[in-house]
Amino acid sequence: MNPMPIKITRDAFDFIAHASRNTYPEEFVGLLRKNKKGVINTILIIPLSEFGDGFSSINFNMVPMQSDSCGSVHSHPNGVPLPSHQDKLFFSKLGGVHLIIASPYDERSVRGFDEKGKPMAVQII
């Protein structure tokens, strides 16, 4: 596991969990933004993103040029917070940290990954 944990604020994590529950049974997707201390504190919801049954996608034409995103987050309604082959391809194009949160969308069901899909610890602060 990567030695540096992905740090995320409680508010940002709670937003992800709430959005994932409200999107169920479809997947939720968003971008992550860090504050100056390197802690994820903002979730960007991109207009015209798709939340589907077994997939989600971001409309990259709608991502602001100054989004300052550091990675992505998406949900897995099937309860398995592990990246698929498609997830790993997505990770490689979109920043250095990625979160997958699975049903039931709580602290025990979130996993972190780097841009290659290697596991990283997640610390909610």
Side-chain angles (χ1 to χ4, degrees):
M1 193 172 290
N2 212 323
M4 292 294 297
I6 297 171
K7 294 181 180 181
I8 184 169
T9 65
R10 167 60 60 189
D11 286 346
F13 175 81
D14 288 347
F15 179 88
I16 291 167
H18 182 76
S20 297
R21 283 186 209 105
N22 284 341
T23 308
Y24 181 87
E26 297 176 335
E27 284 192 11
F28 162 76
V29 66
L31 297 179
L32 305 172
R33 183 188 292 161
K34 292 180 180 179
N35 63 19
K36 292 178 181 173
K37 295 180 181 179
V39 177
I40 296 165
N41 69 336
T42 304
I43 311 306
L44 303 171
I45 307 302
I46 305 304
L48 303 178
S49 292
E50 290 188 55
F51 307 121
D53 183 13
F55 77 97
S56 57
S57 65
I58 291 175
N59 183 329
F60 288 101
N61 293 325
M62 299 300 288
V63 176
M65 287 183 4
Q66 299 298 323
S67 71
D68 296 328
S69 67
C70 62
S72 69
V73 59
H74 73 278
S75 66
H76 278 187
N78 66 5
V80 181
L82 300 174
S84 67
H85 177 71
Q86 291 290 8
D87 291 338
K88 290 178 184 179
L89 289 174
F90 183 69
F91 293 172
S92 70
K93 299 174 185 175
L94 201 61
V97 296
H98 303 276
L99 299 174
I100 297 176
I101 187 168
S103 178
Y105 312 116
D106 59 22
E107 292 179 29
R108 295 178 307 276
S109 65
V110 66
R111 299 291 182 273
F113 303 93
D114 68 12
E115 69 279 357
K116 295 179 182 174
K118 293 184 180 179
M120 296 179 72
V122 177
Q123 183 179 9
I124 301 168
I125 56 173

